């Protein structure tokens, strides 16, 4: 009976390659652009989901009282043990361990593409959000054309020279991490929240996945949806 190979050495490399070199420049640019929206001066309770060890908190422009992180990784939780600005909570990747209508803003930066049931998770986040609260989502445009071109460069140059892994191992790494395509995720978001969203494509702002690297959307929870969530 065949067994799945274990590429344990690849797991820590995912976070590393995202913030190194050209990738790092692009990701930090996306962090900054996630804050380019017209919102409230203050969001009291903020939740970030799937931050790993590189949270979005340093890019936030608005005021806030409390900053929470929900993570599925115990190693990531330990990273925040001595951080007085952040309250980190371990969760199962499905149900968020918070009261409904608790958060003023929820941030999920390059994480929704990793979640097994993204549609239900969108509603899970919405349930934890107060009326008129905001969900801020950023996503890679994988497998869009421009994203695939960047992936080819990384696979044949950066992966071999910097991370010392083969092109096949790099493909496997992304295949196990990016389990949802940008096309499906955008369709889910637009179908369920079409009158509540403000979208942005980066870096070229043309509303075409194939001509951009990142997709950013802010979803506002309307009062009329209170009974649903």
């Amino acid at each position: 009976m065949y067994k799945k190979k274990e590429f344990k050495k690849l797991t820590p490399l995912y976070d590393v390659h995202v913030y190194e070199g050209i990738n790092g420049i692009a990701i930090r640019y996306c962090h900054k652009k996630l804050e380019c929206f017209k919102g409230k001066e203050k969001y009291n309770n903020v939740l970030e989901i799937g931050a790993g060890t590189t949270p979005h908190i340093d890019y936030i422009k608005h005021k806030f009282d409390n900053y929470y992180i929900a993570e599925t990784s115990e190693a990531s939780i330990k990273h925040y043990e001595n951080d007085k600005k952040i309250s980190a909570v371990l969760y199962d990747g499905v149900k968020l361990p918070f009261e409904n209508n608790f958060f003023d803003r929820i941030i999920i930066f390059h994480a929704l593409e990793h979640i097994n049931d993204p549609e239900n998770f969108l509603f899970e986040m919405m349930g934890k959000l107060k009326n008129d609260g905001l969900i801020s989502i950023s996503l890679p445009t994988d497998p869009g054309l421009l994203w695939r071109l960047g992936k080819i460069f990384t696979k044949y140059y950066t992966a071999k020279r910097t991370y010392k892994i083969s092109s096949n191992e790099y493909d496997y790494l992304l295949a196990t991490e990016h389990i949802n395509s940008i096309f499906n995720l955008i369709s889910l978001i637009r179908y369920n929240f079409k009158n509540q969203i403000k979208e942005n494509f980066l870096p070229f702002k043309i509303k075409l996945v194939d001509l951009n690297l990142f997709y950013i959307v802010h979803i506002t929870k309307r009062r009329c949806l209170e009974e649903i969530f």
Side-chain angles (χ1 to χ4, degrees), residues 113-131:
E113 68 272 22
H114 305 297
I115 292 174
N116 286 323
D117 190 347
E119 184 172 28
N120 278 337
F121 197 74
L122 284 165
F123 287 108
E124 175 69 11
M125 289 190 291
M126 194 63 73
K128 306 304 176 184
L129 199 66
K130 294 178 182 177
N131 288 317

Side-chain angles (χ1 to χ4, degrees), residues 15 18-19 31 48 50-57 59 69 79-80 109:
D15 285 339
V18 166
Y19 284 90
H31 272 293
E48 183 176 358
T53 58
T54 52
H56 182 73
I57 188 171
Y59 297 90
I69 283 179
H79 179 78
Y80 299 104
F109 184 89

Side-chain angles (χ1 to χ4, degrees), residues 173-188:
L173 175 64
L174 286 188
T176 56
E177 292 289 342
H178 291 189
I179 61 175
N180 299 304
S181 80
I182 185 62
F183 301 103
N184 289 346
L185 292 173
I186 288 178
S187 294
L188 292 175

Side-chain angles (χ1 to χ4, degrees), residues 17-18 20-24 26-27 140-160 163 167 170-171 174 178 202-204 209-214:
H17 101 269
V18 166
E20 289 287 335
I22 296 175
N23 285 329
I27 288 294
T141 56
D142 185 12
L145 177 60
L146 191 59
W147 180 272
R148 293 203 310 272
L149 290 174
K151 177 183 172 182
I152 290 171
F153 176 84
T154 303
K155 180 168 73 170
Y156 288 109
Y157 292 93
T158 310
K160 289 185 177 181
Y163 313 131
S167 58
Y170 180 74
D171 282 337
L174 286 188
H178 291 189
L202 301 173
F204 300 116
V209 167
D210 287 319
L211 298 182
N212 288 280
L213 291 173
F214 305 114

Side-chain angles (χ1 to χ4, degrees), residues 8-154:
K8 292 182 179 179
K9 68 177 182 178
L10 300 184
T11 303
L13 286 175
Y14 183 79
D15 285 339
V16 172
H17 101 269
V18 166
Y19 284 90
E20 289 287 335
I22 296 175
N23 285 329
I25 293 172
I27 288 294
R28 285 188 285 272
Y29 164 76
C30 192
H31 272 293
K32 292 177 182 177
K33 288 297 183 179
L34 190 61
E35 294 304 302
C36 295
F37 65 94
K38 293 181 180 179
K40 301 175 184 177
E41 183 178 339
K42 183 178 182 180
Y43 293 87
N44 295 329
N45 294 319
V46 178
L47 170 65
E48 183 176 358
I49 299 168
T53 58
T54 52
H56 182 73
I57 188 171
D58 292 334
Y59 297 90
I60 288 182
K61 294 182 178 180
H62 59 76
K63 298 177 182 178
F64 60 89
D65 290 327
N66 304 299
Y67 198 92
Y68 299 83
I69 283 179
E71 254 296 337
T72 58
S73 165
E74 292 185 5
S76 296
I77 295 296
K78 290 181 180 179
H79 179 78
Y80 299 104
E81 284 181 345
N82 299 317
D83 195 325
K84 296 181 180 179
K85 297 185 297 182
I86 295 173
S87 298
V89 177
L90 190 69
Y91 85 112
D92 62 4
V94 179
K95 296 293 183 180
L96 294 167
F98 302 98
E99 295 179 5
N100 287 340
N101 306 305
F102 180 74
F103 292 103
D104 300 277
R105 186 184 180 197
I106 296 176
I107 299 165
I108 181 164
F109 184 89
H110 286 230
L112 192 61
E113 68 272 22
H114 305 297
I115 292 174
N116 286 323
D117 190 347
E119 184 172 28
N120 278 337
F121 197 74
L122 284 165
F123 287 108
E124 175 69 11
M125 289 190 291
M126 194 63 73
K128 306 304 176 184
L129 199 66
K130 294 178 182 177
N131 288 317
D132 296 323
L134 191 72
I135 296 178
S136 300
I137 302 171
S138 67
L139 294 165
T141 56
D142 185 12
L145 177 60
L146 191 59
W147 180 272
R148 293 203 310 272
L149 290 174
K151 177 183 172 182
I152 290 171
F153 176 84
T154 303

